[in-house]
Amino acid sequence: MAGRPFPVGAARSEDGGGRFRASRRGGQGAVLRRAAGLGRGGGGGCHRGEMAAAGGSASIVEYFGGEDGYRCGYCKNETGNLSHGMWAHSMTVQDYQDLIDRGWRRSGKYVYKPIMNQTCCPQYTIRCQALRFQTSKSHKKVLKKMLKFISKGDVSKGVSEEEPMDSHIEDAVTCDFAYKSESHVSQSELTPLGVDHTERVENEDKDIGETKEEVNAQQVEPEAGSLQICAHKDTTVPGEPSHSAKIVHAPPKPGKGADLSKPPCRKAKDIRKERKLQKLLQNQTCTFEGSELQAGDQVCLLQNSKSKTNQPKTIEDFVFVPLPDDAQHKLEVRLVPVSFEDPQFKSSFNQSATLFAKYQMAIHKDTPSDCGENEFTRFLCNSPLEAENAPNGPECGYGSFHQQYWLDGKIIAVGVIDILPYCVSSVYLYYDPDYSFLSLGVYSALREIAFTRQLHEKAPDLCFYYMGFYIHSCPKMRYKGQYRPSDLLCPETYVWTPIEQCLPLLEHSKYCRFNQDVKAGKFTNNYGPLNCLSCSYKVLVSSAAEALWKSYL
């Protein structure tokens, strides 16, 4: 009998070993078959009949159990990692969608679910609402850095050797958008990356740190000899005529308050906006052949210009910005189905495998034997998902894909993703360590969010980006909280809860039930450790297989 599955990490380039090394075992796991037409476990809106007609296949899995503990790749506990596992011989995309909405994830063909109330580091399924995604300041920096490199060939001065997904730990610790103060903004961050003048002005308005010190008007306590104020014009002072009062300013003492004889300092950003609007008014005036604009027209023009200037830029404004003809580099993102029958996948296999080995040895310190072609194939090329096409689905279809990032004719990064009925699920990312300065981990995640939004145009039900597991007990793994708005899956009721509501609970306990509805209870049945499997998966088991399960438990 082969060894039990041995997990040493988790999905999406996580530093706890990076992945699961699961060896199959036979003889004790029951083979399950589930018809593709069964109802969805968590509600949904996908046309199951169409999906079943498109695929027409059944999911076949082999259950492993989760009685023994394994070494945790996060806290290094030798036996603290507890999870259910099963080997998926084949699986429909809808079945896998149902599973990940119950806390399961895949690594190759191995599908696992942490036993949340027992494992040392609870792993909560996290999803980003891609349609409402808001780019943080740190995200914009990464996108602009890539644009600057492609268009001008510029490389950031401060090249970080850290893994890109861990490059914003200061943001992840509080799971909020960290904004640097003006005095800590570097000049490289202030340089806009737009290719035309209009975009450059907009970027300057939004992102240039106030490089000069700004002094706001403050109420200063009057000091003797520094400020003398005569009576108000409506009051009279004995011995003086009742005329308008005059304010007499005495020179301020050195280092004492602001000089009230001068107008208050204004932000450079406000001055630029005012000049821009004045120039716009002048240009508009010229178009009317010298005729002056009416006051109402000026107000309307100012309001329209202001609303356009203040409109936040979407992720597409950064990702799909047109490049100049003399751009120094060319970046192309190719979506390749994970299939050796696909010509593009087959022709790029050797280059992808070589890049995977280079990444694993440099980032995860693997030995060459740990990241050879067999390991690469088993981990990132073998997928249980059956490719499906549906009338209401994306043009590329559903299934497992590699998103290859080609820079000047060579692959520098590969994002392994699953396209499912309701989401794009991130499986893993590997990249060329020589390009760590581009923060390819963050950049690829942002590109995958933009890709999800693209797919939504053809497939209306597909609107989420799943980032794997969020592990609050491991500070290094909190970076996923930066991608807002995001939800965490309640481990007991399987209800999605905004991450802002979950964080205070996780600060007090690493395992939490997020859904506060007392009427919503746990999913239970008579199969002990199989409760999370049978409830989430709704397996159809023959009487023989059911008897085998009971005897095994």
Side-chain angles (χ1 to χ4, degrees), residues 131 394 451-463:
L131 304 186
F451 179 59
T452 304
R453 292 156 66 110
Q454 280 186 307
L455 296 179
H456 171 75
E457 297 177 1
K458 181 66 170 59
D461 290 331
L462 202 162
C463 53

Side-chain angles (χ1 to χ4, degrees), residues 13-24:
S13 187
E14 297 175 354
D15 224 1
R19 61 192 186 281
F20 276 91
R21 294 182 177 91
S23 58
R24 295 180 55 195

